[in-house]
Amino acid sequence: MDLQNSYFEIYGDNDITKYRYNQLISIMDKAKKNRKASLKKEDAKGNSWYRSEKMVGIMLYIDRFSNNLFEFEKRIDYLTELGITYVHFMPLLKSREGNNDGGYAVSDYLIVEDKYGTMEQLEHVIGLLKKKGIRTCIDFVLNHTAKEHVWAKKCLEGDPDYNDMYIMYDTDEIPNKYEETLTQIFPGVAPGNFTYYPELGKYVMTRFYEFQWDLNYRNPQVFNKIVEVLLTLANKGIDIFRLDAIPYMWKQIGTSSMNLSNVHKLIAMMYEIVQQVCPSVIFLGEAIVQPFEIVKYFGTRDRKECNVMYNASLMVLLWNSLASRDVRLMYKSLSKDYGIPDDGLWINYVRCHDDIGWGFETDILRSLGCDPEQHKQFMIQFMEGKFPGSFSIGELYEFNPVTKDARNSGTLASMCGLEQAINERHIYKLELAVKRILLLHSIIISYTGIPLIYSGDEIGQLNDWSYKTIKENASDSRWLHRGKMNWEDAENRNDLATTQGQIFKRLQHMIEIRKSNVYFSSDYKSIPVDTGNKSVFCFHKEDKMLVLANFSEHEQWVDSRAFDWFGLPGEMKDLITGRQIRSYNNNILLGPYEYLWLV
Ligand code: GLC
């Protein structure tokens, strides 16, 4: 990929572009010069480290996990005990006071939030993690900054170097044109895509919250400034940058301003810059869009973009299978060829800090005889806990009273039935809930890609209803599933008589197996298999391993002739229990929510 050509292609061949391009080169040169010898040593080995079976991630908010970076140091052993090899620190850079969308409204990219610690401390922690074989990931919020960011201040003061860093207009003429085709991201809590500030006499583009001002990537200075930040942070030793909300980076009147081709050009340029300055660093892209759009963010062979992407499709399909006890949608959707490049890799997760939106392949749903709208309503109500017989307890997110559309919030454990079981003191339901939690993890740990656990889920933490008493958070139900880590409960993690122990120990065991078996490396693709049983999901890893997972609370019989090329029951062994698989007239028995990793 030719950086210079791409730069001029996007920004036009003129004197300003020439000036900015030279500025970009000097930013890169400076970063190269400042890169520590130890990091350069890692750079020499390239970036293929992320494809290893050893990769297992956890995501956490520092304050929710350990109050601050200082106390975090004492918790590193907990992470190694679980088998974690990469930590994603949720936004930890300085963000605006008051509501800051969980840190996604950054007011200074080069300062660590006071309450978490300092940049020196962060560097120190990164070093400690490295010694334990743990990589560090941070959020890089590059679509917008807080309106309090110094770039916004300078832009408003009329500093010529910061002109046009944001998207603002004196009248509503252009904003209105944009609005005709833009979708709403937070229609309830932050409707519209522009905010009028009477004191400034300006309409500013604010696609997320009002206090998050969209950066104007049509201005090469924005690109340069963001690259400068990226490289400065990379030189602190960060291995993975989670590129936040990338689909929205380029805006164009008359379009949805999502996934536009120039976004891909911008990311490809950033990727190339990383190759030239700090090639051991990788990008994790956050693009929660349709599957065929997500895969484009892997880029192409000659124009790479992100190394890893969130597998939002798998995540929603897992919940769908659990709620409906029917894996056919998952089987059919995952069997579809989306043209993922060979080196494109998924982050597999069961939930994150955000809500869950029900983006299914509607054609496949119809082919299964489901009405897509009705099915979505089923999921919304099931996950909230309103559908008769549902085991889940959650909340709606961004409910639209007119269309009844909504997304859902809730922790893994609560949505798997643990909260309901505890409320009802129902021992049998409790057993089932634990089994569901483990079943979902068994898929993300074995399916090709990198498993990412949300901190607290490893001990089955329940919903945190206290968010409703915190003024800034009360209207955003995503705080329901971002509760504080309960260290007292974590003390039970080695006691198999407790739910915490049952979840933690079994998860730890699965991770151990994954890390010691090369079939879990990213070189082995997962290929779905139709077993003929609609409750049992099955996939093989290039003939080396076969996974069977029962998504129902009833025992299931699977006809082993569906995969007789893989082996006969008597010849197969389950990696998790070590037991030999028995055949009952060519049928294999799976207990409620049981999963087998067969070799
Ligand atoms: C991403 C984050 C989300 C945040 C948004 C705006 O989607 O995951 O939490 O609200 O970006 O930065």
Side-chain angles (χ1 to χ4, degrees):
M1 193 244 187
D2 185 325
L3 182 61
Q4 185 167 2
N5 272 348
S6 299
Y7 200 87
F8 281 83
E9 217 177 276
I10 288 203
Y11 295 117
D13 193 351
N14 55 52
D15 286 348
I16 298 177
T17 309
K18 275 181 200 137
Y19 170 74
R20 291 294 178 204
Y21 184 72
N22 288 334
Q23 189 184 44
L24 176 68
I25 297 301
S26 46
I27 290 170
M28 290 166 62
D29 286 344
K30 194 169 139 212
K32 254 187 257 181
K33 224 174 77 204
N34 289 345
R35 197 151 169 85
K36 280 190 286 199
S38 58
L39 294 176
K40 285 191 175 155
K41 223 166 119 189
E42 287 181 39
D43 289 339
K45 292 187 233 152
N47 69 5
S48 58
W49 52 266
Y50 72 91
R51 303 184 56 78
S52 156
E53 65 279 10
K54 304 267 187 298
M55 290 295 290
V56 178
I58 197 161
M59 60 190 292
L60 53 92
Y61 278 101
I62 302 241
D63 55 343
R64 321 239 107 208
F65 184 74
S66 60
N67 295 322
N68 52 46
L69 283 166
F70 175 69
E71 288 181 42
F72 177 81
E73 288 182 24
K74 294 183 246 157
R75 301 294 185 190
I76 296 179
D77 287 345
Y78 174 80
L79 301 178
T80 46
E81 190 182 326
L82 182 58
I84 296 302
T85 52
Y86 104 74
V87 178
H88 170 191
F89 291 120
M90 297 297 291
L92 48 54
L93 301 174
K94 182 134 200 73
S95 52
R96 73 188 294 272
E97 305 236 317
N99 189 352
N100 52 35
D101 188 19
Y104 286 99
V106 178
S107 54
D108 195 324
Y109 288 109
L110 299 179
I111 299 181
V112 167
E113 187 65 60
D114 296 342
K115 63 177 181 197
Y116 300 150
T118 62
M119 192 54 91
E120 289 69 44
Q121 251 178 318
L122 175 63
E123 267 193 88
H124 175 66
V125 164
I126 294 172
L128 291 179
L129 288 171
K130 264 197 184 138
K131 280 197 195 120
K132 302 264 182 180
I134 301 177
R135 304 258 175 186
T136 305
C137 168
I138 65 160
D139 267 280
F140 190 40
V141 188
L142 74 174
N143 173 68
H144 44 262
T145 71
K147 64 179 177 185
E148 290 80 3
H149 194 284
V150 63
W151 297 347
K153 283 192 192 132
K154 291 198 172 176
C155 174
L156 290 172
E157 280 162 10
D159 184 326
D161 213 29
Y162 292 81
N163 233 343
D164 288 334
M165 292 277 291
Y166 298 85
I167 303 165
M168 42 179 90
Y169 303 98
D170 295 335
T171 71
D172 62 2
E173 192 190 332
I174 298 176
N176 286 342
K177 279 200 186 132
Y178 264 113
E179 290 288 11
E180 283 171 20
T181 49
L182 291 184
T183 51
Q184 305 228 7
I185 298 168
F186 297 149
V189 285
N193 291 286
F194 284 85
T195 306
Y196 180 65
Y197 295 91
E199 68 282 17
L200 306 176
K202 302 254 182 234
Y203 292 83
V204 181
M205 185 179 265
T206 51
R207 294 209 70 186
F208 291 82
Y209 276 103
E210 163 277 321
F211 49 77
Q212 290 163 312
W213 285 13
D214 283 64
L215 284 163
N216 176 21
Y217 278 92
R218 286 173 183 269
N219 177 355
Q221 167 72 329
V222 168
F223 183 79
N224 287 6
K225 283 271 168 208
I226 279 291
V227 166
E228 191 171 22
V229 171
L230 172 78
L231 298 179
T232 309
L233 293 172
N235 279 353
K236 309 281 177 204
I238 285 148
D239 303 290
I240 309 172
F241 283 90
R242 173 189 181 276
L243 305 182
D244 181 62
I246 42 179
Y248 305 96
M249 285 168 69
W250 195 271
K251 339 300 177 178
Q252 172 77 52
I253 293 178
T255 72
S256 65
S257 296
M258 277 175 82
N259 308 312
L260 297 182
S261 63
N262 275 349
V263 172
H264 291 285
K265 284 189 188 150
L266 292 173
I267 308 286
M269 286 200 292
M270 287 188 189
Y271 186 89
E272 176 58 26
I273 290 167
V274 163
Q275 301 323 297
Q276 293 186 24
V277 180
C278 45
S280 58
V281 166
I282 67 161
F283 284 159
L284 156 60
E286 192 235 2
I288 310 304
V289 290
Q290 289 152 294
F292 75 93
E293 290 287 4
I294 300 184
V295 299
K296 290 186 194 158
Y297 288 97
F298 285 123
T300 57
R301 194 168 282 281
D302 339 298
R303 233 185 50 183
K304 283 268 335 141
E305 295 180 30
C306 294
N307 306 81
V308 269
M309 296 293 299
Y310 284 96
N311 198 349
S313 316
L314 177 66
M315 187 264 296
V316 297
L317 290 165
L318 287 171
W319 288 110
N320 179 72
S321 307
L322 209 56
S324 62
R325 284 78 161 172
D326 185 337
V327 302
R328 288 175 302 166
L329 181 62
M330 178 151 74
Y331 164 72
K332 288 200 167 189
S333 305
L334 296 178
S335 304
K336 207 163 150 174
D337 180 10
Y338 288 105
I340 303 170
D342 280 348
D343 58 350
L345 199 66
W346 292 119
I347 288 277
N348 295 320
Y349 64 116
V350 294
R351 66 101 164 187
C352 66
H353 66 296
D354 281 330
D355 49 290
I356 303 179
W358 305 107
F360 298 121
E361 291 273 358
T362 46
D363 287 352
I364 303 182
L365 263 178
R366 281 200 196 90
S367 76
L368 293 170
C370 291
D371 174 76
E373 266 318 303
Q374 275 179 15
H375 189 71
K376 192 171 173 184
Q377 278 306 316
F378 159 70
M379 287 309 296
I380 292 169
Q381 290 169 25
F382 191 95
M383 302 311 286
E384 191 194 3
K386 292 278 161 70
F387 194 85
S390 165
F391 46 74
S392 168
I393 294 187
E395 279 202 300
L396 300 184
Y397 179 73
E398 289 291 353
F399 173 65
N400 180 331
V402 180
T403 60
K404 304 273 180 248
D405 197 14
R407 280 120 76 177
N408 289 81
S409 291
T411 66
L412 165 76
S414 290
M415 292 192 297
C416 280
L418 194 59
E419 189 163 338
Q420 192 191 74
I422 291 173
N423 289 347
E424 295 178 14
R425 297 167 176 263
H426 200 305
I427 302 283
Y428 180 61
K429 283 192 178 181
L430 198 121
E431 268 174 35
L432 292 180
V434 170
K435 283 184 196 297
R436 289 186 197 106
I437 294 169
L438 292 168
L439 173 78
L440 294 190
H441 276 116
S442 80
I443 305 288
I444 63 159
I445 295 172
S446 58
Y447 204 78
T448 308
I450 305 174
L452 176 61
I453 295 168
Y454 192 96
S455 115
D457 285 352
E458 75 284 5
I459 53 164
Q461 279 204 185
L462 303 182
N463 288 330
D464 173 21
W465 298 95
S466 72
Y467 83 94
K468 289 180 189 280
T469 60
I470 300 165
K471 205 176 108 234
E472 306 90 88
N473 300 346
S475 60
D476 190 332
S477 74
R478 292 177 298 175
W479 289 99
L480 180 66
H481 51 251
R482 298 175 181 169
K484 275 203 128 197
M485 177 73 187
N486 187 329
W487 288 105
E488 226 172 276
D489 280 356
E491 292 286 303
N492 293 337
R493 65 185 179 277
N494 290 312
D495 180 356
L496 279 174
T498 64
T499 49
Q500 291 85 14
Q502 287 160 15
I503 300 169
F504 189 93
K505 290 306 284 178
R506 297 197 173 119
L507 219 58
Q508 186 189 44
H509 186 215
M510 282 192 254
I511 292 172
E512 235 171 67
I513 297 174
R514 173 187 161 99
K515 285 163 76 176
S516 57
N517 195 318
V518 71
Y519 303 148
F520 292 91
S521 97
S522 302
D523 297 335
Y524 293 88
K525 298 257 168 303
S526 294
I527 303 155
V529 179
D530 185 4
T531 64
N533 180 323
K534 75 181 174 71
S535 293
V536 178
F537 182 55
C538 175
F539 62 90
H540 70 98
K541 303 196 112 187
E542 303 193 2
D543 298 349
K544 300 291 186 214
M545 206 182 114
L546 187 88
V547 172
L548 286 172
N550 176 6
F551 276 76
S552 108
E553 60 271 68
H554 303 294
E555 63 174 46
Q556 299 293 331
W557 292 94
V558 181
D559 189 337
S560 63
R561 282 170 298 188
F563 38 80
D564 53 6
W565 44 265
F566 180 76
L568 300 171
E571 302 164 353
M572 292 190 278
K573 194 181 95 178
D574 175 25
L575 280 180
I576 297 175
T577 54
R579 87 179 149 87
Q580 214 66 34
I581 297 307
R582 263 195 72 183
S583 161
Y584 304 82
N585 291 331
N586 292 321
N587 283 300
I588 293 178
L589 173 65
L590 285 173
Y593 299 119
E594 191 182 9
Y595 45 88
L596 302 171
W597 290 357
L598 303 177
V599 287

